[in-house]
Amino acid sequence: MTQTPHLALVPGTAPAAAPAPETPVILEIEGLTKSFISTPGLGGHIANLFGAGIKRQEVRAVSGVDLSVKTGEIVGIVGESGCGKSTVARMLAGISNPTGGEIRYRGKARSKMTRAEREDFALSIQMIFQDPYASLNPRMRVRDIIGEAAVVHGYVTRAEMPAYVEDLMTRVGLAPDMADRFPHQFSGGQRQRIGIARALALKPDVLICDESVAALDVSIQAQVLNLFMDLRDSLGLTYLFISHNLGVVEHISDRVVIMYLGRVVESAPTEELYARPHHPYTRLLMDHLPTLSVERRTHRPIAGDLPSPLDPPPGCPFNPRCPLATDRCRSERPALREVTPGHISACHFDDTSSAEIR
Amino acid sequence: MSTDMMSKETRDADLGAPVLKIEKLCTWFDTREGTARAVDGVDLELYEGEILGLVGESGSGKSVTGYSVMGLIDPPGRIAGGRILLDGRDLTRLSEEEHRRVRGKDIAMIFQDPSMTLNPTLRIETQMIEAVRAHEACSTAQARRRAKDALDMVGIPSPEERLRAYPFELSGGMRQRVAIAIALLNKPRLIIADEPTTALDVSIQSQIIYELQTLCRETGTAMIWVTHDLAVVAGMADRLAVMYAGRIVEVGTTKEVIEQPGHPYTRGLMGSVPMHETRGRRLARIPGATPSLLHLPQGCSFRERCALADKACTRMPELAQHHQAQSIRCWHPGETDR
């Protein structure tokens, strides 16, 4: 495995300190697209003989997403269910293949990698899943769950494996003497730690956390979030943090990307985005930020549901739900533009100052 | 909203008798390893139109409390003691048939996952008409009209078409609204909502919270909102009760509990919520994990995770008044961490 030196993040610095601007880009995606095609199938073909008219349908789960992630950065991806955030994660982790676009890792395009390089790339991106009950094999002992992949890929020999696993377990806050147990003997938070240890066993550079804390109780969620921050400091990890919880994302991310119906609609450094949200969709989301304020909240619900990706609305994808929509929004799709340095947004009202829109 | 702004004092004056009064409720589960006291001596009161947030982590007994009120405790679980009074009538003494008549009529429940509540093979109207006619003799047409009105009430657009739909044709948020509409059908006195928004997107989540809150105010229905997330109930509930290991450890008005939490566990829960103010800092975490109900420490069940624990804590503290409506079960109420 090619190990380029990590950016040395000094332990003890403020955990959410964003990496310096000159930090190298570790992961870059350009025009990433994923379509799912449903064909009529045998039954459909027969039905079509009788005039059922079942057609081939194409769903664009992700269309043309650009993103670049710097070493040591935590990028949050936020959106409602069906916005394509998990599909992006799965393509990056190599679980599904993109239909179009390019993924670049340390400057090298995935399509131009040799087989060995592609394997290295696949190993250096690890994923942590949402449901710690479903993502661990119930018939395997924790030692094997964590250590198996490391042995298979030749990081350690089978003889070294127990010691290696013990070290990983300590690192994620699990007692090493529990290595002989099965997943059902652990609580939800502990299982999530097992999932994290399993990901770390392959010495990844990038961790993709797909709703990794969504299924946990708040107090356990806090423990896992703290662990993520510690691991970034000690191992220099880069994170893609996918969540629908704006509070969690604000807490942990350096930069936030907002997705809607398969596209990026806004992206900015976290402080900037939460202080000056630009896109109308982002602002509506911000109204639902979790707080512990006892003030009665004024609810300004986002009208309607997410439109079907089978039949996306013409023009701006958000126009049917947008309070500002004009005729232009219904016919012409706004491009992503830089509003202020580092802050991009895709809205026809980007030229208008935020104060005027509100 | 003006009704929301109604001050605590004016509400106190016309409270009247409580809709629900739970006294020393004990719900125990007999297992091979011993008796798990999932709910152990819970007292609660709920008045008309009031929303009570019942907060706790998995295993704290918050859901079991809800199920006990609904009469949904099956063996090996049993109600081992205490009373559940709904408008003065003790639900623990009802026969199964009597309980069935109360359930869905006087008390309704909304579950976390709407796809579990709805029968996937029946049209929405079939399920809703059935729910009306199970409790009341009326024509199908009348029941259907009631169903349509209920869908209207929860803000479902074109209810006439939705009535003909099957659950899979609706989005998750829509399905949860249908589940809420079914709960409202028979104008219940009390709704128990068990994490009804946890499975939903943020934007839908706050719509549902807003709608339920408005409905409770308008219809006078009392509601228990069971959740693990204080941030969800902080802006909605009138009162909060925090549960830990089967007992209520803190109860008070939302303002009291959020602004001056007295129990170390409540403070820990509040410190765990990631939000704007915590950005870039470590979250104050509660050390350790929820203890097994079979092996609770002697005395205060939180003491092994508590920074304030001392010798006094080896005896079980009582739930004692701390401030006006606020009561705390702790030997060191209101003390800040050492």
Side-chain angles (χ1 to χ4, degrees):
Chain A
M1 174 165 175
T2 45
Q3 278 282 354
T4 1
H6 290 306
L7 171 80
L9 273 173
V10 190
T13 49
E22 64 275 13
T23 316
V25 169
I26 183 163
L27 193 63
E28 203 175 4
I29 59 180
E30 213 180 276
L32 198 67
T33 300
K34 177 79 188 179
S35 312
F36 293 99
I37 292 162
S38 92
T39 47
L42 180 64
H45 278 302
I46 294 170
N48 276 349
L49 291 179
F50 296 98
I54 297 169
K55 287 194 201 88
R56 192 181 116 108
Q57 284 185 312
E58 186 185 343
V59 180
R60 282 212 156 186
V62 175
S63 32
V65 169
D66 298 334
L67 180 69
S68 76
V69 184
K70 289 177 187 154
T71 309
E73 195 177 25
I74 303 184
V75 174
I77 301 182
V78 181
E80 290 174 273
S81 11
C83 73
K85 55 191 195 300
S86 293
T87 312
V88 168
R90 294 171 71 85
M91 284 191 280
L92 285 173
I95 300 174
S96 69
N97 283 320
T99 324
E102 188 61 90
I103 299 174
R104 259 191 290 274
Y105 177 66
R106 298 195 187 280
K108 184 137 198 188
R110 189 172 175 273
S111 56
K112 299 211 170 65
M113 287 178 185
T114 62
R115 205 187 148 146
E117 281 175 326
R118 199 171 298 166
E119 211 161 87
D120 271 352
F121 163 62
L123 290 177
S124 54
I125 296 192
Q126 287 298 319
M127 202 152 164
I128 293 161
F129 298 91
Q130 170 170 4
D131 186 352
Y133 291 82
S135 54
L136 302 178
N137 187 337
R139 288 158 189 268
M140 279 170 79
R141 291 186 194 277
V142 167
R143 174 177 298 117
D144 298 319
I145 291 178
I146 297 174
E148 188 187 39
V151 174
V152 170
H153 292 287
Y155 290 83
V156 288
T157 63
R158 193 157 285 278
E160 291 163 350
M161 194 259 264
Y164 186 66
V165 170
E166 263 176 39
D167 177 54
L168 284 165
M169 287 180 77
T170 320
R171 181 158 265 169
V172 298
L174 288 169
D177 56 5
M178 298 196 285
D180 279 320
R181 296 196 190 174
F182 290 97
H184 75 263
Q185 292 168 296
F186 292 87
S187 67
Q190 287 175 318
R191 284 180 210 214
Q192 200 57 295
R193 287 169 195 268
I194 298 173
I196 296 168
R198 172 176 64 180
L200 293 180
L202 298 169
K203 302 199 167 77
D205 296 323
V206 182
L207 279 188
I208 298 179
C209 307
D210 190 0
E211 297 277 9
S212 302
V213 295
L216 305 175
D217 271 329
V218 264
S219 68
I220 311 294
Q221 173 180 296
Q223 296 178 2
V224 174
L225 286 175
N226 284 346
L227 174 65
F228 281 144
M229 285 167 121
D230 294 344
L231 290 174
R232 162 160 94 162
D233 291 351
S234 57
L235 302 174
L237 291 175
T238 306
Y239 288 90
L240 265 181
F241 203 89
I242 295 167
S243 179
H244 68 276
N245 185 330
L246 286 160
V248 171
V249 169
E250 176 174 24
H251 175 78
I252 201 162
S253 310
D254 301 317
R255 201 149 55 82
V256 179
V257 175
I258 311 275
M259 283 186 71
Y260 188 77
L261 219 61
R263 289 173 201 278
V264 172
V265 294
E266 185 162 9
S267 162
T270 310
E271 271 103 358
E272 162 77 11
L273 188 87
Y274 281 74
R276 282 172 291 279
H278 214 274
H279 198 281
Y281 178 61
T282 315
R283 286 149 190 260
L284 288 171
L285 281 182
M286 293 297 168
D287 284 350
H288 308 304
L289 263 181
T291 63
L292 281 177
S293 143
V294 294
E295 298 286 304
R296 291 270 171 236
R297 274 166 227 163
T298 50
H299 289 273
R300 197 164 53 140
I302 306 181
D305 280 327
L306 201 67
S308 159
L310 270 175
D311 181 25
C316 171
F318 188 56
N319 85 66
R321 302 168 76 184
C322 181
L324 309 171
T326 61
D327 283 342
R328 190 180 169 204
C329 305
R330 283 182 271 271
S331 56
E332 183 190 336
R333 188 163 55 79
L336 270 173
R337 275 180 298 172
E338 193 160 60
V339 204
T340 50
H343 187 159
I344 53 171
S345 165
C347 177
H348 288 310
F349 288 93
D350 279 344
D351 310 320
T352 328
S353 82
S354 340
E356 274 174 63
I357 311 177
R358 194 120 214 174
Chain B
M1 284 184 75
S2 60
T3 43
D4 287 356
M5 295 301 162
M6 208 167 24
S7 72
K8 178 79 183 120
E9 292 74 55
T10 51
R11 282 195 335 108
D12 268 342
D14 49 32
L15 278 179
V19 173
L20 177 77
K21 193 168 163 64
I22 301 179
E23 291 173 356
K24 305 245 171 313
L25 177 70
C26 295
T27 308
W28 294 354
F29 289 79
D30 297 315
T31 68
R32 251 183 291 176
E33 284 100 66
T35 301
R37 301 180 170 197
V39 174
D40 200 13
V42 162
D43 294 295
L44 279 177
E45 264 181 10
L46 208 62
Y47 294 89
E48 211 160 88
E50 190 178 39
I51 303 176
L52 172 83
L54 190 56
V55 187
E57 292 179 272
S58 344
S60 62
K62 58 189 195 306
S63 293
V64 175
T65 305
Y67 288 156
S68 304
V69 176
M70 280 300 278
L72 294 176
I73 301 295
D74 288 326
R78 64 191 160 97
I79 293 188
R83 300 201 295 168
I84 302 168
L85 301 169
L86 183 75
D87 288 319
R89 185 170 168 215
D90 188 356
L91 298 182
T92 58
R93 293 165 166 273
L94 298 187
S95 70
E96 183 46 40
E97 175 56 25
E98 286 168 322
H99 227 138
R100 193 191 62 75
R101 266 182 259 143
V102 172
R103 214 184 287 138
K105 174 140 182 62
D106 300 321
I107 323 169
M109 187 146 186
I110 304 167
F111 295 89
Q112 176 171 353
D113 187 352
S115 38
M116 302 273 280
T117 331
L118 301 173
N119 186 329
T121 64
L122 296 178
R123 291 185 199 276
I124 302 295
E125 62 178 354
T126 320
Q127 308 191 35
M128 294 188 79
I129 291 170
E130 184 186 294
V132 176
R133 306 221 327 171
H135 293 287
E136 213 174 299
C138 67
S139 73
T140 313
Q142 279 173 324
R144 195 170 191 281
R145 214 170 308 131
R146 283 253 296 274
K148 186 172 162 275
D149 292 344
L151 290 184
D152 241 346
M153 213 147 104
V154 294
I156 291 186
S158 47
E160 193 60 46
E161 285 164 41
R162 304 293 180 196
L163 276 175
R164 302 284 302 156
Y166 285 97
F168 73 86
E169 295 175 276
L170 306 176
S171 67
M174 245 353 136
R175 259 182 258 166
Q176 191 59 295
R177 287 212 189 102
V178 171
I180 294 170
I182 292 177
L184 293 170
L185 270 179
N186 295 309
K187 305 196 173 56
R189 294 281 288 150
L190 170 71
I191 294 180
I192 297 168
D194 192 357
E195 307 250 10
T197 58
T198 313
L200 304 174
D201 274 324
V202 261
S203 57
I204 318 279
Q205 197 171 0
S206 57
Q207 273 178 52
I208 300 246
I209 292 176
Y210 173 69
E211 280 159 14
L212 272 172
Q213 197 181 340
T214 318
L215 286 168
C216 282
R217 299 274 181 269
E218 282 169 2
T219 59
T221 305
M223 180 158 74
I224 300 180
W225 189 292
V226 177
T227 181
H228 73 274
D229 193 352
L230 268 171
V232 169
V233 279
M236 167 187 58
D238 301 300
R239 279 191 305 134
L240 294 181
V242 182
M243 278 190 82
Y244 185 78
R247 291 195 176 86
I248 289 181
V249 295
E250 177 157 6
V251 61
T253 63
T254 307
K255 196 173 159 60
E256 286 170 330
V257 175
I258 297 288
E259 287 179 0
Q260 35 169 359
H263 197 282
Y265 178 64
T266 316
R267 279 199 297 274
L269 275 185
M270 290 180 58
S272 306
V273 179
M275 51 186 174
H276 183 70
E277 291 73 20
T278 64
R279 180 163 161 67
R281 278 187 268 148
R282 291 179 62 84
L283 292 165
R285 67 190 191 95
I286 307 171
T290 325
S292 153
L293 289 171
L294 293 169
H295 307 107
L296 286 180
Q298 206 202 352
C300 172
S301 25
F302 187 61
R303 79 184 156 92
E304 287 176 350
R305 303 172 72 185
C306 182
L308 299 175
D310 59 19
K311 226 173 152 194
C313 304
T314 51
R315 287 178 301 124
M316 171 58 79
E318 289 299 312
L319 194 61
Q321 192 192 16
H322 178 65
H323 175 264
Q324 294 177 1
Q326 187 180 20
S327 301
I328 296 161
R329 185 190 292 278
C330 180
W331 292 113
H332 310 285
E335 281 177 36
T336 42
D337 302 305
R338 277 169 224 151

